[in-house]
Amino acid sequence: MDSRAIDRLVAEKVMGWVQGEYAKDKWYYKKNEQIQGMAKFINDWNPSTNIADAWQVVEKFEIVEINRIMDGYSCEITLFDPFRIRRGEAKTAPLAICLAALKAVGVDVEV
């Protein structure tokens, strides 16, 4: 799966954003099935390659641990209800964060 597909999955499954029905180049927040406001322009938000965007993903979780490993990075997200740890490993920290976040919400992807 390429980085843009991963970015899209993270936006939808982790961040809870929806693509604009009329403005297809934007992500929107949705609450109670109602669009609440613009989150980001789709092409400007790249959490799998941009650490600033990946940090927004980190902030969705309570306990996140990022470590340097032999050939890249590891990200572990601890969830409490039920207790479980989801881990992502990749050559870059942003991608490791995205993979762990997707696993935390029940989406496993092949890179």
Side-chain angles (χ1 to χ4, degrees):
M1 182 173 287
D2 70 1
S3 65
R4 290 307 298 159
I6 291 170
D7 294 342
R8 177 173 296 283
L9 276 175
V10 171
E12 293 172 354
K13 305 295 185 184
V14 178
M15 303 302 287
W17 296 347
V18 294
Q19 189 172 359
E21 194 170 305
Y22 301 105
K24 298 232 180 257
D25 63 336
K26 299 175 185 168
W27 288 112
Y28 290 90
Y29 291 104
K30 199 171 184 184
K31 184 177 182 184
N32 299 328
E33 300 304 312
Q34 299 289 325
I35 292 192
Q36 300 294 312
M38 189 179 84
K40 296 283 181 181
F41 282 97
I42 287 174
N43 291 331
D44 292 342
W45 196 70
N46 306 294
S48 66
T49 58
N50 180 309
I51 193 65
D53 294 339
W55 201 254
Q56 289 181 295
V57 176
V58 167
E59 291 175 341
K60 295 293 277 187
F61 300 96
E62 290 183 31
I63 298 178
V64 178
E65 185 177 323
I66 302 165
N67 294 298
R68 183 92 165 103
I69 57 175
M70 192 73 128
D71 57 348
Y73 292 85
S74 167
C75 176
E76 288 185 354
I77 295 175
T78 302
L79 304 167
F80 292 103
D81 191 21
F83 179 79
R84 62 192 191 274
I85 296 173
R86 295 295 180 250
R87 182 178 187 172
E89 291 183 1
K91 290 191 182 279
T92 66
L95 184 55
I97 290 166
C98 288
L99 295 177
L102 286 169
K103 285 181 182 179
V105 296
V107 178
D108 204 2
V109 297
E110 294 288 325
V111 180

